[in-house]
Amino acid sequence: MIQILENASLKKLNTFGIDVNARYLCLYKTPDDLRYLITEGPLQRDMEMIILGSGSNQLFTVPFKGVVIHPVNDSLEVVSEDADHVYLKAGAGLEWDALVNYAVTNGWGGIENLSNIPGSVGAAPVQNIGAYGTEVKNCIHQVHLVSFSDGTLKTISQQECKFGYRDSIFKHQFKNRYLVDSVTFKLNKKPVFNIQYGAVSQELEKMEEASLQNIRKAIIEIRGQKLPCPTEIGNAGSFFKNPMVPECEVLQIKQKFPELPTYQADNGMVKLAAGWLIEQCGLKGFSLPNGKAGIHKNQALVLVNLGNATGQDILEVARIAQVKVFEKFDINLEPEVIINK
Ligand code: EPU
């Protein structure tokens, strides 16, 4: 049976650790739960609704007046396999890194570069999480959904997810229409290591050999050096997307700032490092006069809750970074984090 809490705190359900209440917090386990919410529960009242995994990509700036649906299904099973691949189905509520650890321990490759990313399995396809040269889209086989109109199940293929950089159909056409119930991953029994990313290859040189376990270890080490652990310092990883800029504009910026790091993308676009742009504005380690929120000292793309910050404090830091970067480089920084206003 579904659990419905009224006026519940979301403090433990967002990695910024912002203390706001939701009018209703509903713990979702099965499609029957959703059907109940639609037919007899608060969703029948046509209230605003969001799906919240571990809230590792959300910023709450005001109390949430509607219904928060929190998936708790943490099932994990091998549904099929062949000579080369194993198909692993995981519930939306499973912690992302528990899945990575399980895959690596069993010798199945594909998601090891995504080690230690905070968040849940259900959020991974929504955001097309990515790190160290890998995106989760490369290992997603199918996504299993439940419809908000009638609670029926639907399975879609990898292609149908329309994955892009930190983007998918779940942020657009499917937003508020479907809930991710579970995801089937296609993992490699004969792993091909993806270790071109500079910091990863350097870290691996200190180890005996490249293996799934060692890649996982290397990535946990690198993340630990740069990214604050959300249980110690509230944060949501990269706050902004790395901006995509047309090649011709980049040449102009490079004339003024020759050290600008650039990464070739598709269609004549170049990806810039938002963290570098923010650091160049002198904001690395910045904090608000009230000391509650700021920018991390090791990674300028990460905004941090320095103690009892409100969502408005974090938003103020974001605004300062956007204004300064625009003034200096004429580039707009677009938040990657979803802002609930
Ligand atoms: N840089 C700086 N100063 C900073 C931060 C970065 O100069 O304060 C420079 C770095 O020296 C490097 C470049 O910017 O030349 C890129 O930095 P980094 O390798 O740390 O990666 P990122 O572009 O800042 C992206 C993802 C991260 C992911 C890393 C590693 C986005 C928005 N972020 O960050 O993802 O872990 O690459 O692959 O694409 C997340 O999405 O929450 C996240 C943490």
Side-chain angles (χ1 to χ4, degrees), residues 34-51:
L34 193 65
R35 281 190 279 272
Y36 174 82
L37 284 178
I38 299 165
T39 53
E40 293 170 58
L43 281 184
Q44 62 174 327
R45 276 173 251 156
D46 203 19
M47 292 179 88
E48 196 189 346
M49 177 268 304
I50 53 165
I51 304 153

Side-chain angles (χ1 to χ4, degrees), residues 56-57 117-118 127 129-134 165-166 197 223 226-227 236-242 261 263 271-280 284 296-302 336:
S56 59
N57 208 40
I117 294 185
Q127 184 66 0
I129 56 170
Y132 308 106
T134 300
Y165 169 55
R166 298 291 190 273
Y197 198 95
R223 288 186 73 91
K226 283 194 176 177
L227 300 165
S238 303
F239 192 89
F240 300 104
K241 289 184 189 176
N242 282 328
Y263 309 92
K271 198 195 267 188
L272 303 182
W276 187 90
L277 299 171
I278 298 170
E279 181 174 348
Q280 294 303 306
K284 206 171 185 173
H296 194 243
K297 60 180 182 353
N298 297 339
Q299 219 313 359
L301 197 44
V302 178
E336 171 188 302

Side-chain angles (χ1 to χ4, degrees), residues 291-322:
K292 291 184 178 178
I295 293 181
H296 194 243
K297 60 180 182 353
N298 297 339
Q299 219 313 359
L301 197 44
V302 178
L303 272 51
V304 284
N305 178 352
L306 296 168
N308 300 319
T310 62
Q312 293 295 344
D313 291 325
I314 305 282
L315 210 52
E316 176 61 8
V317 176
R319 196 192 58 79
I320 291 169
Q322 283 172 313

Side-chain angles (χ1 to χ4, degrees), residues 184-227:
T184 302
F185 297 89
K186 182 180 179 181
L187 301 174
N188 221 319
K189 287 183 174 174
K190 297 164 189 158
V192 183
F193 304 139
N194 178 357
I195 52 176
Q196 282 89 35
Y197 198 95
V200 178
S201 57
Q202 279 160 26
E203 197 58 42
L204 275 171
E205 272 168 26
K206 298 181 201 160
M207 302 181 189
E208 272 180 15
E209 50 160 14
S211 65
L212 292 179
Q213 291 283 6
N214 281 347
I215 293 171
R216 176 166 165 76
K217 238 191 244 171
I219 282 165
I220 290 174
E221 176 63 30
I222 299 164
R223 288 186 73 91
Q225 285 161 10
K226 283 194 176 177
L227 300 165

Side-chain angles (χ1 to χ4, degrees), residues 89 142-146 154-156 179-184:
K89 187 174 180 183
Q142 289 174 331
V143 180
H144 312 281
L145 308 165
V146 196
K154 174 187 177 87
T155 291
I156 64 167
L179 177 147
V180 175
D181 174 71
S182 52
V183 182
T184 302

Side-chain angles (χ1 to χ4, degrees), residues 243-299:
M244 297 283 192
V245 178
E247 226 155 343
C248 50
E249 282 179 32
V250 172
L251 291 174
Q252 283 175 8
I253 307 172
K254 271 225 159 179
Q255 280 178 353
K256 233 170 134 190
F257 303 97
E259 270 114 66
L260 176 83
T262 54
Y263 309 92
Q264 199 60 48
D266 300 333
N267 305 327
M269 301 296 271
V270 174
K271 198 195 267 188
L272 303 182
W276 187 90
L277 299 171
I278 298 170
E279 181 174 348
Q280 294 303 306
C281 295
L283 289 172
K284 206 171 185 173
F286 164 85
S287 60
L288 288 179
N290 69 12
K292 291 184 178 178
I295 293 181
H296 194 243
K297 60 180 182 353
N298 297 339
Q299 219 313 359

